[in-house]
Amino acid sequence: MFVIVVYDINVDRVAKVCAYLRKYLYRVQNSVFEGEITKGQFARMKSGLKSIVVDDEDTVRIYILPHDNVVAIESIGKDISEFCQII
Amino acid sequence: MRNFYLIKNGELIRKHDTLYFIAKKEPANSNEDFILEDDTIESFCELDDESTKPEYEKKALPIEQIDAIFLYGRISLTSGAIGLLAKKQIPTHIFSYYGQYLSTIYPKETLLSGDLHVKQALHYANSNERLYLAKLFVKGSAANILTNIRYYERQGREISPILSSIKERIDEIEHMSSINELMALEGNIRLLYYSTFDAIMPSEFSFKERTRRPPQNPMNAMISFGNSLVYGEIITALYHTQLDPTISFLHEPSERRFSLALDIAEIFKPLIVDRSIFKLVNKKMISADDFNQNIGSCLLNENGRRLFLEEYESRLQTTIKHRSLHRKVSYKRLMYLECIKIVKHLLGLKKYEPFEIWW
């Protein structure tokens, strides 16, 4: 499945969340990650996030799509996306 | 799960439990601001690393998504990075400046099976059993070769006489009584196959003959490059099985190589490497400018490698509906499934049948 993760995190923890999500997904904006992920990885990622996030201060929203070809993505301005398999 | 190919020079480091690749920026985009790391002032990095200098860029490789890493540039790895790769069971394949396979950083074996190991060695030692498997590898490879050139015959290329002589050779496989004869026949089939290339490909990519170490013309350069990629891919697949990659059946097991990967690669080269080449050349996606032609050798340059890898990788991700699993699997996954079929054969659960293109 294809997921888009966006977050608002207290400044004390935001770097931690960013570093954590980097293990699973590609960073496409400040505080936006996306990528193709398996169900197992998704479950692990979610439980990892739960252990970092503080419930009454932070929010993480996850948009779940069945596959990346159901979503058309356009971007305007400079591309900061990290996605690249051939570097 | 994906492969990552690093063709630039740089450094692989571990930070925050993921991998980062640090490389010098290309001069073309050096006037742009590359967004470096954090969206905060606070950073967890204790050490100064080079990526903080503006002329360097740093890319994160999502560790959970990596299947294998292919290193083509000059890359230094820190012990932290190697440790993380081992922990996540990611084999890292290293290639020389000339694109030749050099080595693999093979993570610690976690899938071990004494039972299978003994059976694999016994299959090798028993000449009938060994020949049985070896014939199947040649058969699978030849069948896929045949499918490839049949396509071009239907397109009206003048290759019918070669096609029928390949068919004759395939019928002979059954009657071979020794590995040496079988290897000779396999070489023969491949020679016939390569002799059709000049009829299939436009004249600026004339092939003439197979030359290796070093390759002499662009066609040979692409074949060598592609074959080494498939070899690495099969080593990755073998790592995730209990098979011993050094005990092989068609190729003679010897030192310093994973010869079982050579056996299995034979089956997939026509599907993955050769079809990538045909597409790149016939659709004019690659040109003579993408090669470095020196006296006595011809190699893909950086741009050529990038083009080839893009095509190769999209082919690996191509999916087909699997006949017995009844679900979609990628070509990459097919290679792993091929290893599993061998495991089942060695354990006596199900007779091995080589993968043949059926579509």
Side-chain angles (χ1 to χ4, degrees):
Chain A
M1 57 198 194
F2 183 79
V3 296
I4 302 165
V5 181
V6 298
Y7 55 81
D8 271 332
I9 306 283
N10 188 306
V11 72
D12 300 335
R13 288 176 296 276
V14 70
K16 211 169 174 179
V17 170
C18 176
Y20 182 77
L21 285 171
R22 273 226 165 99
K23 286 201 255 181
Y24 295 90
L25 300 168
Y26 299 93
R27 189 172 182 205
V28 288
Q29 301 257 286
N30 293 340
S31 60
V32 180
F33 280 81
E34 64 179 40
E36 194 75 37
I37 194 169
T38 66
K39 279 182 182 162
Q41 286 172 332
F42 182 64
R44 263 184 289 145
M45 184 183 84
K46 233 167 48 176
S47 72
L49 278 174
K50 274 182 191 152
S51 66
I52 304 172
V53 162
V54 174
D55 283 347
D56 47 0
E57 290 180 31
D58 309 330
T59 53
V60 178
R61 280 182 84 83
I62 304 173
Y63 299 86
I64 301 162
L65 297 155
H67 201 271
D68 63 351
N69 54 22
V70 301
V71 55
I73 298 171
E74 284 185 27
S75 73
I76 296 166
K78 74 176 171 189
D79 190 17
I80 68 154
S81 153
E82 278 171 347
F83 181 75
C84 190
Q85 268 174 272
I86 303 159
I87 308 172
Chain B
M1 301 293 270
R2 287 170 180 271
N3 289 335
F4 281 80
Y5 307 90
L6 308 183
I7 51 183
K8 282 191 198 162
N9 298 341
E11 196 183 2
L12 262 182
I13 60 154
R14 172 189 191 163
K15 206 175 127 190
H16 300 159
D17 245 15
T18 194
L19 280 181
Y20 289 85
F21 180 64
I22 301 166
K24 235 183 182 151
K25 275 194 211 173
E26 277 160 31
N29 51 15
S30 57
N31 47 4
E32 283 173 34
D33 281 338
F34 187 80
I35 297 216
L36 271 174
E37 239 282 58
D38 290 302
D39 34 2
T40 65
I41 322 107
E42 194 174 305
S43 164
F44 281 4
C45 179
E46 292 102 349
L47 292 167
D48 276 352
D49 62 52
E50 296 204 286
S51 61
T52 50
K53 291 181 195 157
E55 67 268 33
Y56 285 89
E57 66 179 11
K58 182 171 175 184
K59 290 210 164 152
L61 314 182
I63 189 83
E64 297 283 341
Q65 305 270 8
I66 305 176
D67 200 36
I69 302 181
F70 291 73
L71 306 180
Y72 283 95
R74 279 170 190 275
I75 288 149
S76 32
L77 289 106
T78 62
S79 62
I82 295 171
L84 187 64
L85 288 167
K87 192 173 137 200
K88 296 286 175 184
Q89 307 188 354
I90 300 165
T92 308
H93 309 293
I94 305 169
F95 296 83
S96 75
Y97 174 76
Y98 301 101
Q100 248 183 41
Y101 174 82
L102 285 180
S103 170
T104 298
I105 301 176
Y106 205 66
K108 191 184 70 156
E109 281 276 13
T110 52
L111 290 173
L112 293 170
S113 160
D115 180 34
L116 182 69
H117 201 104
V118 169
K119 286 189 172 135
Q120 194 182 344
L122 286 176
H123 268 79
Y124 166 73
N126 180 326
S127 55
N128 284 335
E129 296 280 11
R130 180 183 174 192
L131 199 62
Y132 178 82
L133 272 173
K135 278 180 183 170
L136 287 177
F137 289 133
V138 178
K139 251 188 202 161
S141 172
N144 293 338
I145 283 175
L146 203 60
T147 319
N148 270 1
I149 55 176
R150 267 206 191 115
Y151 173 81
Y152 287 99
E153 196 212 11
R154 283 200 302 274
Q155 305 273 310
R157 311 291 161 96
E158 298 288 313
I159 47 177
S160 311
I162 303 175
L163 193 71
S164 50
S165 46
I166 291 185
K167 274 187 203 153
E168 281 166 28
R169 298 290 193 287
I170 292 177
D171 294 335
E172 285 172 33
I173 295 173
E174 248 346 288
H175 311 300
M176 296 290 117
S177 55
S178 76
I179 294 288
N180 284 343
E181 280 175 43
L182 192 63
M183 281 293 266
L185 185 69
E186 198 266 330
N188 213 316
I189 292 172
R190 209 156 268 275
L191 217 64
L192 283 167
Y193 173 49
Y194 286 139
S195 70
T196 64
F197 276 32
D198 279 337
I200 295 172
M201 241 69 71
S203 56
E204 68 258 46
F205 277 93
S206 92
F207 177 73
K208 294 190 196 82
E209 53 166 357
R210 179 83 177 104
T211 48
R212 309 185 302 153
R213 295 180 200 172
Q216 301 292 342
N217 56 34
M219 271 318 282
N220 277 299
M222 284 190 282
I223 293 173
S224 293
F225 188 71
N227 286 351
S228 66
L229 281 167
V230 171
Y231 180 60
E233 194 62 50
I234 308 262
I235 293 172
T236 313
L238 282 172
Y239 174 72
H240 296 290
T241 70
Q242 283 89 348
L243 290 166
D244 181 333
T246 58
I247 303 177
S248 56
F249 303 99
L250 176 61
H251 294 81
E252 201 59 47
S254 72
E255 289 101 40
R256 294 180 301 276
R257 59 178 194 177
F258 292 134
S259 41
L260 185 58
L262 292 171
D263 284 4
I264 302 171
E266 293 294 341
I267 298 172
F268 289 97
K269 283 173 193 171
L271 169 67
I272 298 183
V273 182
D274 302 340
R275 287 192 172 192
S276 299
I277 296 172
F278 296 154
K279 184 174 172 194
L280 283 167
V281 171
N282 283 331
K283 292 202 184 274
K284 301 198 180 349
M285 293 157 77
I286 204 159
S287 72
D289 299 338
D290 299 314
F291 295 88
N292 248 341
Q293 304 217 35
N294 296 325
I295 303 160
S297 81
C298 174
L299 298 162
L300 284 151
N301 61 23
E302 192 185 320
N303 193 41
R305 281 183 184 176
R306 197 174 287 273
L307 286 170
F308 192 95
L309 286 169
E310 274 165 11
E311 178 52 36
Y312 169 83
E313 183 60 30
S314 79
R315 198 156 290 262
L316 284 188
Q317 302 297 340
T318 306
T319 55
I320 49 155
K321 184 89 184 266
H322 195 278
R323 277 176 160 180
S324 51
L325 293 177
H326 305 298
R327 61 177 168 83
K328 281 182 154 189
V329 293
S330 63
Y331 287 2
K332 187 181 166 75
R333 191 74 180 163
L334 278 178
M335 297 194 217
Y336 170 74
L337 293 173
E338 198 69 12
C339 301
I340 297 296
K341 283 199 277 184
I342 295 169
V343 172
K344 286 195 171 164
H345 177 88
L346 296 177
L347 293 175
L349 296 171
K350 195 180 174 198
K351 284 272 176 210
Y352 173 65
E353 276 173 39
F355 162 78
E356 289 177 18
I357 307 170
W358 67 76
W359 56 92

